[in-house]
Amino acid sequence: MTRYGLLILPATNRVYARAAVDLTQAELEIFGRSALDGRIGELDTAVVGGASYITFTGDGLTERDLAVLGNLSAGYALFEIVGELLRPIEWSRLDRYDDDLLTIQKYPGKTNEQFTKLLLNVTLLASDWATEMTSRRFRVLDPLCGRGTTLNQALMYGFDAAGIERDQKDVEAYRAFITTWLKQKRVKHRVLESGPVRRERKVVGRRVRIELAPTREEHKAGQTQLLDVVNADTARSAEFFRPQTVDLVVADAPYGVQHGSRTTGQGLTRDPLALLADAAPVWAGLLRPGGALGVSWNTHVASRDDAAAALADAGLTVVDEEPYRALRHRVDQSIMRDVLVARKPA
């Protein structure tokens, strides 16, 4: 049985860096169970030359397996452990664009990029298409997309990305960023729509739709991605996106500290449960059967059991296996973040 050492990617956020080892162990176990037929085992940690490694055994890992593992949210480099030596292992990632697509934006309240990737990964791995991570073009919806951190990660993977956000300033900031970035990087793209959405002579929202591809050749061949962002209330998502057209719903709920949650009935509230009760049935309706929803939130303002009940009430089946329960971690003194993932029955 081959033993491997996974070098953890340094994190600029010191608090997240302290949690990264435990989170990556849980994420690696989820990868092993969902996409690698349980061939990952004996997870442990080790310090080699002053650097932290996660160690594990892998039974006959193939090139395809390594291409899957290359997308671990905090994975920096992989080595085979041979006695007291580390032999570098070649692996690949899904990444289609330069990494500044994820890192260049800086603003208060931005979700850590490593965590955003982890949340997308564990949601995808709960879907019926976990083994197709490197071959399927998923459609990802962030129904609380803010300034687009999750949208950018989905684009980086080569997926289609859709988002809805109530704050017009955030949507305008993201539109300005992504259009400028695409031009500066000379990424082949075409703006399909940008402006108000009118129905019955009334403005019901604003929308930007962009078709893009990492190369001119792919664009010419029609191998394009679609970015679709709407400025409207998330509870109205079904007015803009057709039912059962989304593979994954990924949401980082407001933590009730800097930002509150807005609901149709209550307006601004610190309680994300009201938001989930209002919007989760709508999000579930957009999911294809077999799809998955992943949400993170602050446990100081809502318990895990209550959040799980809200997803169950929306007709989803909560994934409650042990590694999914090990994703809880501290963000700061006022935020203890947890993750819930639920499937839509096929």
Side-chain angles (χ1 to χ4, degrees):
M1 185 76 71
T2 305
R3 191 157 190 82
Y4 298 91
L6 175 70
L7 181 62
I8 297 295
L9 182 71
T12 54
N13 183 307
R14 288 179 295 175
V15 175
Y16 191 83
R18 287 195 290 269
V21 171
D22 290 340
L23 289 172
T24 306
Q25 278 189 293
E27 184 186 10
L28 180 57
E29 188 173 351
I30 293 168
F31 266 90
R33 291 186 181 193
S34 300
L36 302 177
D37 301 319
R39 289 178 288 117
I40 298 294
E42 299 182 31
L43 274 70
D44 205 345
T45 59
V47 176
V48 181
S52 296
Y53 289 79
I54 293 173
T55 62
F56 63 94
T57 56
D59 183 12
L61 296 185
T62 65
E63 183 177 337
R64 174 262 174 194
D65 297 336
L66 294 172
V68 170
L69 290 176
N71 300 296
L72 282 159
S73 62
Y76 190 43
L78 185 66
F79 301 87
E80 180 184 347
I81 301 174
V82 183
E84 296 181 352
L85 302 178
L86 299 174
R87 184 175 70 84
I89 297 293
E90 191 78 25
W91 64 359
S92 59
R93 294 180 170 87
L94 282 169
D95 296 1
R96 307 296 303 278
Y97 302 98
D98 291 344
D99 61 7
D100 60 358
L101 173 61
L102 304 174
T103 61
I104 197 170
Q105 287 180 290
K106 305 293 182 185
Y107 52 88
K110 180 184 178 183
T111 305
N112 178 284
E113 297 96 355
Q114 287 184 25
F115 176 75
T116 297
K117 188 174 182 179
L118 180 145
L119 181 58
L120 176 56
N121 283 347
V122 299
T123 305
L124 186 158
L125 292 167
S127 76
D128 281 0
W129 312 291
T131 59
E132 301 175 47
M133 181 176 192
T134 59
S135 60
R136 180 187 180 95
R137 193 176 76 188
F138 288 82
R139 188 178 188 216
V140 179
L141 169 68
D142 183 348
L144 303 166
C145 70
R147 297 194 186 185
T149 306
T150 300
L151 304 182
N152 291 341
Q153 180 58 63
L155 293 177
M156 178 67 85
Y157 272 176
F159 300 162
D160 290 338
I164 189 163
E165 170 57 45
R166 182 168 183 156
D167 191 323
Q168 184 175 345
K169 290 182 179 179
D170 281 350
V171 173
E172 285 300 310
Y174 181 65
R175 182 198 60 78
F177 163 74
I178 196 65
T179 53
T180 300
W181 187 89
L182 290 168
K183 290 176 183 177
Q184 290 179 342
K185 293 291 180 175
R186 298 186 177 181
V187 174
K188 186 66 176 175
H189 68 282
R190 183 162 61 105
V191 178
L192 304 176
E193 181 180 349
S194 182
V197 178
R198 292 185 172 88
R199 295 193 183 125
E200 298 179 357
R201 299 182 180 180
K202 294 182 180 179
V203 174
V204 295
R206 300 184 68 84
R207 190 170 206 157
V208 58
R209 296 171 66 242
I210 301 174
E211 181 184 78
L212 65 152
T215 67
R216 289 182 179 272
E217 292 74 21
E218 287 174 281
H219 194 274
K220 188 175 181 180
Q223 298 171 3
T224 57
Q225 298 169 247
L226 180 64
L227 173 66
D228 188 353
V229 185
V230 175
N231 172 210
D233 191 286
T234 190
R236 296 172 52 215
S237 298
E239 296 179 28
F240 302 94
F241 305 108
R242 289 185 290 115
Q244 299 186 21
T245 58
V246 173
D247 298 310
L248 310 171
V249 174
V250 180
D252 186 28
Y255 297 146
V257 180
Q258 285 188 326
H259 306 289
S261 307
R262 289 189 179 273
T263 65
T264 303
Q266 298 183 36
L268 185 64
T269 172
R270 286 172 53 86
D271 183 3
L273 289 177
L275 176 66
L276 285 179
D278 204 29
V282 180
W283 304 342
L286 299 176
L287 273 175
R288 291 188 175 97
L293 180 152
V295 61
S296 59
W297 81 103
N298 181 10
T299 61
H300 288 325
V301 295
S303 74
R304 182 181 181 89
D305 287 345
D306 288 343
L311 297 185
D313 289 344
L316 302 174
T317 303
V318 174
V319 181
D320 211 26
E321 300 167 3
E322 183 55 38
Y324 280 92
R325 296 188 67 90
L327 299 174
R328 186 171 178 265
H329 61 284
R330 179 177 174 270
V331 176
D332 60 31
Q333 187 173 2
S334 57
I335 299 172
M336 181 64 73
R337 184 163 56 195
D338 204 352
V339 172
L340 267 176
V341 176
R343 300 187 183 99
K344 183 170 183 176

